[in-house]
């Protein structure tokens, strides 16, 4: 019998869930334009669309909600959050935002001039969108190993330093607005970035006078992988690893709805650059709110201050990442191709391998996600060419290096019995993938199309 880590918590409250019939799921998917984002939550049995804001808060966080100071300016909860950011990241300046994209819309126009490039291991969807809305160009330079889902590499999220150096020399350092390191690297399959790579990226950037920032949504999970996989860090605490990671950056944007374990919230963290902080603080007022609340209520800031500390607890991370690994191993046993090794927040199924007969511009991962929903009521999300969108200049569909179906595990919400249901559903789909057909648009928005697009199956 396999050893399974028990949950490091007791269950105090439950929310009933139920599965609607296949006929109703078929009707729901058609009504939703074959876009899983457009389903109603009560039409979904097990919801693995995202881990963003979908986690279960602790009794300590709920207790913090009751101590919310809803003062418009200078809330006590803001000071608690700011002190926590100083304690966890050792950053002097904190600006709360309503979520990660709020942080990006405030910060990126300060960092980018028109036509400048933003370099990343891999930008996530909203990050890329905010670079482009700031009239910049997003460039992904993750290592090549990330594209081979069957090959083991402990840090597939690493930035390719040689390619980065070549790109800077080709375009000129003055044409690079900033480097942003996504930890963990979501679009590459939830893959971590090593401390060595972060440190060397910082060294390279300093050589050229380029600022380094972190997309810190899943910073704690990245620190866990460094502790587990990188020599010299096995005896370090998660907190020590986090402080070192962030010492190599100028600042960070964070969707706190992930490793902050809250339902809503974001942060701009700035290490010690008062000039940058002053500019960001001025911009946050018209976009998000007064600098000491930035789109959040006092109670939300208090829950976040407490969640940041809970999120770096080793026992919690060991259980949380262990559950993701449990699902990954179930799928591997069934010979379903996934991104290996399993990442921190999700299992990424290689839909391109499973559905080789469907071309990238007919969105194989979206097709696979729809089939899984029809089979078992499980909702995942496409991370591939549908998400990647079109070239902002040529308007051609961009081809993603990987066509992935992301099965994203909310924090402290589901049990391993639920993971078994997910695995069984995908195994059933595997037996009939040759019957699946591609998708085409009936409506395509210009920005972040995968959220609200409508599609239909292609008829032969």
């Amino acid at each position: 019998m396999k050893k399974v880590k028990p949950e490091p918590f007791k269950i105090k409250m439950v929310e009933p869930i139920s599965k609607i019939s296949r006929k109703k799921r078929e009707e729901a998917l058609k009504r939703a334009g074959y876009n899983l984002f457009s389903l109603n939550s009560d039409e979904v049995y097990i919801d693995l669309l995202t881990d963003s804001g979908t986690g279960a808060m602790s009794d300590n966080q709920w207790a913090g909600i009751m101590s919310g100071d809803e003062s418009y300016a200078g809330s006590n909860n803001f000071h608690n959050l700011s002190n926590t950011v100083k304690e966890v990241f050792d950053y002097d300046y904190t600006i709360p935002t309503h979520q990660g994209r709020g942080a990006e819309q405030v910060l990126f126009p300060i960092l980018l001039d028109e036509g400048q490039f933003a370099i990343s291991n891999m930008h996530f969807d909203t990050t890329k969108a905010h670079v482009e809305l700031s009239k910049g160009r997003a460039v992904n330079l993750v290592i090549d190993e990330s594209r081979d889902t069957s090959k083991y590499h402990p840090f597939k999220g690493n930035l390719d330093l040689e390619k980065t150096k070549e790109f800077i020399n080709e375009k000129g350092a003055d044409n690079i607005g900033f480097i942003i390191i996504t930890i963990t690297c979501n679009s590459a399959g939830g893959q971590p970035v090593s401390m060595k790579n972060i440190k060397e990226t910082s060294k390279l950037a300093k050589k050229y006078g380029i600022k380094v920032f972190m997309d810190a949504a899943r910073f704690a999970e990245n620190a866990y992988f460094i502790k587990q996989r990188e020599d010299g860090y096995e005896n370090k605490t998660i907190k020590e690893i986090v402080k070192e990671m962030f010492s190599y950056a100028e600042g960070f944007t964070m969707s706190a709805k992930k490793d902050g374990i809250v339902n809503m919230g974001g942060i701009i963290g700035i290490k010690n650059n008062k000039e940058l902080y002053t500019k960001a603080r001025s911009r946050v007022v018209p976009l998000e709110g007064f600098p000491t609340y930035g789109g959040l209520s006092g109670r939300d800031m208090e829950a976040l201050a407490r969640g940041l500390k809970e999120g770096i607890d080793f026992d919690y991370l060991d259980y949380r990442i262990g559950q993701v690994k449990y699902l990954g191993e179930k799928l591997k046993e069934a010979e379903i191709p996934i991104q290996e090794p399993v990442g921190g927040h999700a299992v990424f199924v290689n839909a391109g391998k499973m559905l080789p007969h469907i071309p990238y511009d007919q969105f194989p991962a979206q097709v696979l996600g729809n089939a899984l929903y029809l089979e078992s009521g499980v909702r995942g999300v496409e991370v591939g060419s549908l998400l990647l969108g079109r070239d902002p200049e040529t308007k051609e569909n961009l081809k993603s290096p990987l066509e992935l179906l992301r099965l994203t595990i909310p924090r402290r919400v589901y049990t391993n019995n639920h993971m078994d249901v997910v695995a069984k559903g995908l195994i059933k789909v595997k037996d009939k993938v040759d019957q699946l057909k591609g998708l085409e648009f009936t409506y395509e928005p210009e920005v972040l199309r995968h959220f609200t697009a409508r599609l239909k199956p292609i008829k032969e």
Side-chain angles (χ1 to χ4, degrees):
M1 181 180 293
K2 287 186 177 179
K3 184 179 179 182
V4 178
K5 292 182 177 68
E7 290 79 2
F9 52 82
K10 297 187 294 183
I11 295 170
K12 189 172 287 190
M13 184 175 70
V14 296
E15 177 185 349
I17 59 174
S18 60
K19 182 162 66 172
I20 61 175
S21 69
R22 183 181 179 104
K23 182 180 178 182
K24 287 186 176 180
R25 294 199 297 274
E26 290 172 351
E27 293 170 352
L29 192 59
K30 184 176 181 180
R31 187 208 72 242
Y34 296 89
N35 186 341
L36 296 164
F37 278 100
S38 295
L39 293 171
N40 297 327
S41 63
D42 59 4
E43 295 168 332
V44 177
Y45 180 40
I46 298 173
D47 201 346
L48 307 186
L49 182 76
T50 182
D51 62 328
S52 181
T54 58
M57 292 200 300
S58 69
D59 56 350
N60 182 48
Q61 287 176 288
W62 281 109
I65 292 271
M66 299 307 295
S67 65
D69 172 8
E70 305 307 336
S71 302
Y72 187 91
S75 165
N76 290 328
N77 307 118
F78 166 75
H79 293 297
N80 291 344
L81 176 60
S82 183
N83 290 338
T84 299
V85 169
K86 180 64 177 176
E87 178 185 340
V88 174
F89 303 98
D90 200 20
Y91 275 33
D92 291 337
Y93 302 112
T94 301
I95 301 174
T97 61
H98 79 282
Q99 57 180 339
R101 66 197 64 176
E104 292 166 353
Q105 75 165 342
V106 170
L107 190 62
F108 287 4
I110 301 172
L111 302 175
L112 282 169
D113 293 329
E114 184 171 349
Q116 282 190 315
F117 295 92
I119 296 173
S120 181
N121 44 357
M122 285 191 83
H123 294 81
F124 194 54
D125 53 0
T126 61
T127 316
K128 177 176 180 288
H130 281 295
V131 167
E132 292 172 355
L133 287 169
S134 302
K135 303 188 185 306
R137 294 294 302 270
V139 178
N140 295 328
L141 296 175
V142 70
I143 58 172
D144 290 340
E145 287 87 343
S146 67
R147 296 179 174 88
D148 186 347
T149 57
S150 62
K151 182 178 180 180
Y152 180 86
H153 187 291
F155 295 102
K156 280 186 174 179
N158 280 355
L159 185 73
D160 190 314
L161 294 164
E162 200 57 43
K163 287 182 181 179
T164 301
K165 184 178 179 180
E166 290 174 5
F167 187 86
I168 295 170
N169 287 328
E170 177 190 342
K171 301 297 182 181
D174 289 345
N175 291 316
I176 311 300
F178 61 92
I179 296 172
I180 187 162
I181 307 171
T182 308
I183 52 172
T184 58
C185 190
N186 191 357
S187 297
Q191 297 297 306
V193 182
S194 72
M195 188 73 81
K196 180 181 178 183
N197 189 255
I198 294 170
K199 185 176 182 178
E200 290 180 350
T201 298
S202 175
K203 184 178 179 181
L204 178 66
K206 285 179 180 177
K207 177 182 175 181
Y208 288 96
I210 298 169
K211 291 182 172 63
V212 173
F213 290 82
M214 298 282 198
D215 177 346
R218 299 176 180 90
F219 74 96
E221 292 172 5
N222 200 90
Y224 175 89
F225 283 122
I226 287 173
K227 181 176 176 65
Q228 297 298 103
R229 297 178 184 173
E230 192 162 359
D231 289 344
Y233 289 91
E234 58 274 7
N235 295 320
K236 298 276 189 180
T237 66
I238 298 296
K239 192 172 183 179
E240 288 171 336
I241 294 169
V242 168
K243 280 190 175 180
E244 183 177 347
M245 283 195 304
F246 283 82
S247 72
Y248 300 121
E250 181 95 5
F252 66 80
T253 60
M254 179 190 290
S255 169
K257 297 162 68 177
K258 285 83 168 177
D259 278 353
I261 329 181
V262 289
N263 304 125
M264 187 57 68
I267 301 172
I268 297 170
I270 296 172
K271 184 162 56 178
N272 53 23
N273 187 329
K274 189 172 183 180
E275 181 183 359
L276 178 60
Y277 165 68
T278 301
K279 289 179 180 178
R281 185 182 61 183
S282 296
R283 274 185 58 82
V284 83
V285 176
L287 294 172
E288 292 284 298
F290 193 75
T292 59
Y293 76 85
L296 293 178
S297 63
R299 55 184 174 268
D300 288 331
M301 288 189 285
E302 187 62 35
L304 174 52
R306 299 180 185 210
L308 286 171
K309 293 180 181 180
E310 292 180 14
I312 60 174
D313 177 76
F314 178 82
D315 289 337
Y316 153 74
L317 285 167
D318 201 38
Y319 143 77
R320 190 274 190 290
I321 293 172
Q323 185 177 56
V324 180
K325 185 178 180 181
Y326 175 86
L327 175 59
E329 289 178 345
K330 286 281 182 181
L331 298 182
K332 280 178 62 179
E333 287 170 5
E335 298 183 343
I336 291 173
I338 64 171
Q339 174 66 288
E340 298 181 53
V342 176
H345 67 289
V347 177
F348 289 72
V349 180
N350 190 330
K353 277 189 177 180
M354 284 187 72
L355 285 69
H357 62 290
I358 297 179
Y360 77 95
D361 55 357
Q362 294 178 17
F363 315 124
Q366 184 72 17
V367 172
L368 184 61
N370 287 347
L372 176 60
Y373 172 71
L374 291 175
E375 182 63 47
S376 59
V378 174
R379 175 162 64 173
V381 69
E382 190 262 11
V383 178
S385 295
L386 177 61
L387 178 147
L388 195 58
R390 295 182 182 270
D391 185 287
E393 293 181 356
T394 68
K395 304 304 179 184
E396 293 294 318
N397 271 312
L398 295 170
K399 184 177 182 180
S400 175
L402 292 171
E403 303 292 345
L404 302 172
L405 173 63
R406 189 183 76 179
L407 303 172
T408 331
I409 316 301
R411 292 162 180 78
R412 304 190 293 210
V413 170
Y414 293 117
T415 69
N416 285 354
N417 287 333
H418 294 106
M419 300 302 103
D420 291 340
V421 172
V422 176
K424 288 175 183 176
L426 201 53
I427 290 166
K428 287 183 179 179
V429 171
K430 178 193 170 191
D431 295 334
K432 46 191 174 187
V433 290
D434 57 340
Q435 301 171 28
L436 301 178
K437 293 180 172 57
L439 296 163
E440 62 183 355
F441 288 110
T442 62
Y443 163 69
E444 180 185 2
E446 290 187 14
V447 179
L448 295 171
R449 66 185 185 181
H450 56 294
F451 284 120
T452 57
R454 294 184 65 82
L455 307 117
K456 67 177 181 179
I458 292 174
K459 294 180 180 179
E460 293 183 352

